[in-house]
């Protein structure tokens, strides 16, 4: 009886698995095609001399577009600017987000109100954020310079100074995206078990020791996932640059996504722009794989 029951259970499990595969396959196929088609299209275009003046695939160039992209000083400059921007926003947003999440984790009253306030910037479209801050930071009519003037500080050309523009964009991005860090880290902190903290307090540990020896080790997976997601989104930053600076002044904020756009639709060289996109994709995938393997190793 036991053997028959076991066989029956196995057959039922197989039927359930087949049913699950049958239900999931159409959605997975559509998702796979939606993701794969643009990537393959960009890869195919990057191997041809495809421009918007001569939009055809008659001339196969092999890896020429990749070599031109890597040899392009402006592309390397954009990549360096993007690296500075990503490092700045991810690091600062993580530090601010973790500090706020730790404080909110101790709050018992009015927590939904704090959530609502924090989520407001995150729910706004980046284009709207860019337009609002471009108006606030206007050198003559902006409210920021007006407030600085009331305390005797000279007006600042926030978006027109080559040394200040990138920091202005970083601050605006932090204002917009730090809520994302707070929400994810707060969710991780809320899920931590209470027993290790109670045991540590019995042993005489203070709050800082609990943070170093309990909170940080148990939060490592959440931290890695949060940094990974934010890092990927930061590399792709395009909306704020298009609205606020158009890559300027000069090339002070010409991040790689905007530079690829300019190569494709201003220089009309879609083939080389596609090669740059593939290089950017490879860099993001490499970083993702590294962080994913690190995350698996700490589990």
């Amino acid at each position: 009886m036991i053997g028959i029951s076991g066989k029956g259970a196995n057959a039922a499990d197989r039927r359930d698995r087949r049913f699950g595969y049958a239900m999931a396959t159409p959605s997975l196929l559509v998702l796979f095609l939606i993701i794969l088609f643009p990537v393959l299209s960009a890869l195919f275009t990057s191997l041809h001399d495809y421009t918007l003046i001569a939009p055809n695939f008659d001339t196969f160039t092999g890896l020429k577009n990749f070599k031109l992209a890597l040899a392009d000083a402006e592309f390397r400059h954009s990549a360096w600017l993007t690296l500075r921007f990503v490092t700045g926003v991810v690091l600062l947003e993580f530090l601010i987000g973790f500090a706020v999440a730790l404080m909110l984790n101790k709050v018992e009253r009015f927590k939904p109100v704090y959530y609502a306030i924090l989520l407001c910037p995150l729910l706004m479209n980046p284009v709207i954020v860019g337009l609002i801050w471009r108006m606030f930071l206007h050198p003559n009519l902006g409210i920021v310079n007006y407030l600085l003037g009331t305390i005797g500080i000279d007006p600042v050309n926030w978006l027109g100074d080559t040394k200040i523009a990138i920091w202005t964009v970083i601050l605006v991005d932090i204002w917009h995206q730090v809520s994302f860090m707070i929400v994810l880290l707060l969710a991780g902190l809320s899920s931590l078990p209470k027993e290790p903290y109670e045991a540590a307090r019995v042993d005489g540990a203070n709050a800082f020791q609990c943070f170093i020896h309990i909170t940080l080790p148990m939060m490592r997976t959440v931290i890695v996932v949060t940094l990974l997601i934010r890092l990927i989104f930061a590399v792709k930053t395009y909306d704020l640059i298009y609205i606020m600076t158009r890559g300027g002044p000069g090339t002070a904020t010409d991040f790689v996504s905007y530079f690829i756009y300019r190569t494709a639709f201003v220089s009309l060289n879609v083939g080389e722009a596609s090669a740059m996109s593939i290089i950017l994709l490879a860099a993001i995938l490499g970083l993702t794989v590294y962080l994913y393997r690190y995350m698996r190793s700490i589990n």
Side-chain angles (χ1 to χ4, degrees):
M1 288 296 291
I2 294 173
I4 294 173
S5 299
K7 289 180 180 177
N10 289 335
D13 289 341
R14 285 196 293 273
R15 278 200 306 273
D16 289 345
R17 279 199 296 272
R18 284 198 294 270
F19 181 73
Y21 292 144
M23 295 298 291
T25 298
S27 301
L28 290 175
L29 278 176
V30 171
L31 188 63
F32 184 68
L33 288 174
I34 289 174
I35 294 173
L36 194 62
F37 176 75
V39 175
L40 291 179
S41 175
L43 181 62
F44 185 75
T45 306
S46 70
L47 300 174
H48 292 80
D49 185 17
Y50 188 99
T51 66
L52 292 182
I53 297 175
N56 58 66
F57 298 101
D58 294 342
T59 308
F60 179 77
T61 58
L63 298 177
K64 180 183 174 183
N65 284 327
F66 290 90
K67 293 176 181 175
L68 289 174
L70 293 173
D72 190 335
E74 289 187 48
F75 178 65
R76 293 201 302 271
H77 172 73
S78 297
W80 168 241
L81 279 180
T82 305
L83 180 63
R84 286 175 57 193
F85 171 78
V86 170
T87 304
V89 295
V90 173
L91 185 61
L92 291 174
E93 287 174 13
F94 171 72
L95 293 175
I96 297 170
F98 206 7
V100 175
L102 286 169
M103 289 188 285
L104 282 179
N105 194 42
K106 302 293 183 184
V107 173
E108 298 294 337
R109 301 179 64 187
F110 306 117
K111 192 174 277 189
V113 177
Y114 295 124
Y115 276 126
I117 295 171
L118 285 170
L119 287 175
C120 282
L122 191 61
L123 296 176
M124 295 172 69
N125 188 293
V127 174
I128 304 299
V129 172
L131 289 171
I132 290 173
W133 277 102
R134 196 176 68 175
M135 184 174 62
F136 284 174
L137 297 171
H138 191 280
N140 300 319
L141 305 174
I143 190 171
V144 176
N145 277 345
Y146 169 77
L147 293 174
L148 291 177
T150 60
I151 56 175
I153 298 177
D154 293 333
V156 179
N157 195 356
W158 298 99
L159 299 174
D161 190 308
T162 54
K163 294 180 180 177
I164 298 176
I166 187 169
W167 290 105
T168 304
V169 175
I170 287 174
L171 291 175
V172 173
D173 189 87
I174 290 172
W175 179 87
H176 186 214
Q177 297 289 343
V178 72
S179 306
F180 175 79
M181 287 276 192
I182 295 171
V183 171
L184 287 190
L185 293 170
L186 186 57
L189 288 171
S190 302
S191 66
L192 295 182
K194 305 295 182 189
E195 291 79 6
Y197 293 96
E198 293 170 356
R201 289 194 191 95
V202 170
D203 292 338
N206 57 34
F208 181 73
Q209 289 170 326
C210 288
F211 174 73
I212 295 295
H213 299 291
I214 300 175
T215 304
L216 279 182
M218 289 198 295
M219 282 288 291
R220 277 193 300 182
T221 304
V222 177
I223 290 172
V224 171
V225 171
T226 305
L227 291 177
L228 176 61
I229 296 173
R230 186 65 197 97
L231 188 145
I232 292 172
F233 281 108
V235 171
K236 298 189 304 179
T237 298
Y238 168 81
D239 320 62
L240 280 181
I241 298 303
Y242 183 82
I243 296 298
M244 295 183 71
T245 65
R246 301 288 176 99
T251 57
T253 58
D254 195 12
F255 297 161
V256 71
S257 295
Y258 188 75
F259 182 75
I260 292 172
Y261 160 79
R262 287 201 300 115
T263 304
F265 298 106
V266 179
S267 302
L268 309 182
N269 193 343
V270 180
E272 191 173 335
S274 299
M276 293 173 184
S277 300
I278 296 297
I279 293 170
L280 181 63
L281 176 65
I284 294 174
L285 281 178
L287 192 59
T288 303
V289 169
Y290 172 76
L291 289 175
Y292 178 75
R293 293 182 67 177
Y294 174 74
M295 185 177 67
R296 292 287 299 270
S297 70
I298 62 179
N299 286 331

